Amino acid sequence: MRTSDSHDLGPGTTVLMAVACGLMVANLYYAQTLIDAIGPEIGLSPWLAGAIVTLTQLGYGAGLALLVPLSDLFENKRLILLATAGATLGALGVAAATSPALFLAASLLTGLCSVGAQILVPLAAGLSSEARQGRTIGLVMSGLLTGIMLSRPYASFVADLAGWRAVFLSSAGFMALTGAALLFWLPSRRPDSGLHYGAILRSLFDLLRCHPQLRLRAFYQALLFLAFNLFWTAAPLVLIHRFGLGHGGIALFALAGAGGALAAPIAGSLADRGKARLVTGGSMALLAVSFLAADWTVAVGSVIAFAVTAVLIDAAVQLNQISGQRIIFSLDPAARGRINAIYMTIVFMVGALGSVTATASYARGGWPLTAWIGAGIGALLLAVFAVFDRKRH
């Protein structure tokens, strides 16, 4: 069992943390493709079916604000193991649910405890050497994005083979195995903040006020994540209406889109070489160009080219995420947990608007309007970046 606080994070442990992040965050997305199957079986009325996903997401948001800051107060490994155990119980509760109340309560618990992923990311940064910190963050975050991208196709495939409950039973199994692996191989980190929980929470506002780069980086990634959700909410509609694909084809498209996660280690390596600013501007330009290209690919009817733009949009989000986290984790090493909580809460809250924006824009102007909104987000970010972020890092 590892119990060191030194900079001794090996490649095997880094990969374990990346896999753990991916499996934890996947819990937020399994149900998105299964609402039609889950609702009737547990007696959930159609107008409440959206709560299946919403409560999981609300639980995650609450965990970001209330649990992740505890990583600057309590021993990190213990927090992560408790969160993993809670996510395991939540997934088992979802799989066994026979009533809406039990299902929704278990979903809330699962979302709340899945924030273990956001304790792992700053822990990985803290345990890594300064020279390799960006690459470490990149690898761990590539696992997180891969979990997001693969969760929906995985849920669709498993549900088709064995029913929707099998998806959550397998998730509980993954969580249990992850917890066992983390118990034996995850190093410990015991913070020395000298603060109590109330002071930790109050300090969140001070950190946001004192660090302009934290505000800027959260703004950048929040809008990029909004664009990410915009694309992945509207893309299945395009695949159905324009290309005539079924659920299997949509799942394969999502698998292709997961290739964007490969950009994370590249971004981390560039950030370690002092290229974070270049990566940031490049990610914004890539987002704008990719949305414009996506509009063209749909117009000409090329699903393969459309999949390529999906990879590029995902890569843009990853490039900015890694360069941004490389910067914010260096602002105050003793407050990395709280800084990540602030950053991810803002990103999550604003990014969630992407799904609503996509459904509204697609209903009013189809894919062309949605794509132009995505390109406009990229252009807006470039303008803000040029005016307010002149400092070289």
Side-chain angles (χ1 to χ4, degrees):
M1 188 181 298
R2 304 283 300 282
T3 58
S4 173
D5 288 326
S6 62
H7 297 305
D8 60 352
L9 193 63
T13 307
T14 307
V15 171
L16 171 62
M17 297 172 84
V19 172
C21 279
L23 291 173
M24 287 178 186
V25 79
N27 288 318
L28 304 178
Y29 300 96
Y30 288 135
Q32 285 189 338
T33 60
L34 306 175
I35 292 175
D36 291 343
I38 295 171
E41 187 169 333
I42 64 172
L44 197 64
S45 61
W47 66 278
L48 276 177
I52 290 175
V53 175
T54 301
L55 273 180
T56 308
Q57 302 270 358
L58 287 175
Y60 190 74
L64 286 172
L66 300 176
L67 297 185
V68 174
L70 289 175
S71 61
D72 288 334
L73 186 60
F74 296 115
E75 203 279 306
N76 285 194
K77 180 175 179 177
R78 184 175 302 173
L79 277 177
I80 292 165
L81 291 175
L82 287 172
T84 305
T88 304
L89 292 175
L92 287 173
V94 170
T98 56
S99 68
L102 178 58
F103 184 94
L104 295 176
S107 296
L108 185 65
L109 175 64
T110 302
L112 182 71
C113 294
S114 293
V115 294
Q118 296 303 335
I119 301 173
L120 276 166
V121 176
L123 175 60
L127 293 173
S128 176
S129 65
E130 180 69 20
R132 293 187 56 84
Q133 195 175 83
R135 278 167 283 185
T136 299
I137 296 170
L139 181 56
V140 174
M141 287 301 300
S142 68
L144 190 145
L145 182 63
T146 301
I148 294 174
M149 297 305 302
L150 297 185
S151 58
R152 299 178 185 92
Y154 171 80
S156 296
F157 287 137
V158 173
D160 284 342
L161 291 174
W164 67 266
R165 295 182 189 275
V167 176
F168 297 99
L169 282 174
S170 64
S171 174
F174 291 147
M175 287 293 94
L177 289 173
T178 298
L182 292 173
L183 174 64
F184 285 99
W185 286 294
L186 183 67
S188 299
R189 173 184 175 265
R190 191 177 302 278
D192 187 23
S193 65
L195 300 174
H196 56 78
Y197 185 52
I200 285 281
L201 292 180
R202 287 193 296 272
S203 71
L204 297 177
F205 300 99
D206 293 333
L207 289 167
L208 186 61
R209 177 177 53 83
C210 293
H211 295 298
Q213 274 299 315
L214 176 56
R215 297 194 297 270
L216 272 174
R217 293 289 153 176
F219 173 78
Y220 296 159
Q221 191 60 23
L223 288 191
L224 275 155
F225 191 49
L226 189 154
F228 174 88
N229 285 329
L230 177 84
F231 180 86
W232 284 105
T233 300
L237 300 175
V238 175
L239 294 171
I240 293 170
H241 300 151
R242 179 69 175 87
F243 297 106
L245 298 185
H247 290 296
I250 294 172
L252 291 174
F253 183 90
L255 284 173
L262 298 175
I266 299 171
S269 180
L270 289 171
D272 284 337
R273 301 208 304 266
K275 306 292 185 182
R277 181 167 159 68
L278 176 65
V279 173
T280 299
S283 68
M284 297 167 180
L286 180 61
L287 183 81
V289 171
S290 298
F291 265 105
L292 292 176
D295 185 31
W296 176 79
T297 60
V298 172
V300 300
S302 174
V303 70
I304 295 176
F306 189 44
V308 172
T309 64
V311 173
L312 294 176
I313 288 170
D314 292 352
V317 176
Q318 277 288 82
L319 288 168
N320 185 75
Q321 173 95 341
I322 304 311
S323 62
Q325 286 185 308
R326 179 67 171 84
I327 290 168
I328 65 172
F329 286 156
S330 66
L331 295 174
D332 187 348
R336 284 194 178 110
R338 282 167 285 166
I339 286 173
N340 195 50
I342 296 166
Y343 176 82
M344 289 307 305
T345 300
I346 294 172
V347 169
F348 187 81
M349 290 175 62
V350 176
L353 298 175
S355 296
V356 177
T357 305
T359 53
S361 63
Y362 193 85
R364 175 156 310 260
W367 174 249
L369 177 59
T370 306
W372 278 95
I373 290 173
I377 290 172
L380 172 63
L381 285 168
L382 277 171
V384 173
F385 176 70
V387 173
F388 294 103
D389 199 359
R390 297 176 182 273
K391 184 178 178 180
R392 190 173 297 275
H393 304 293

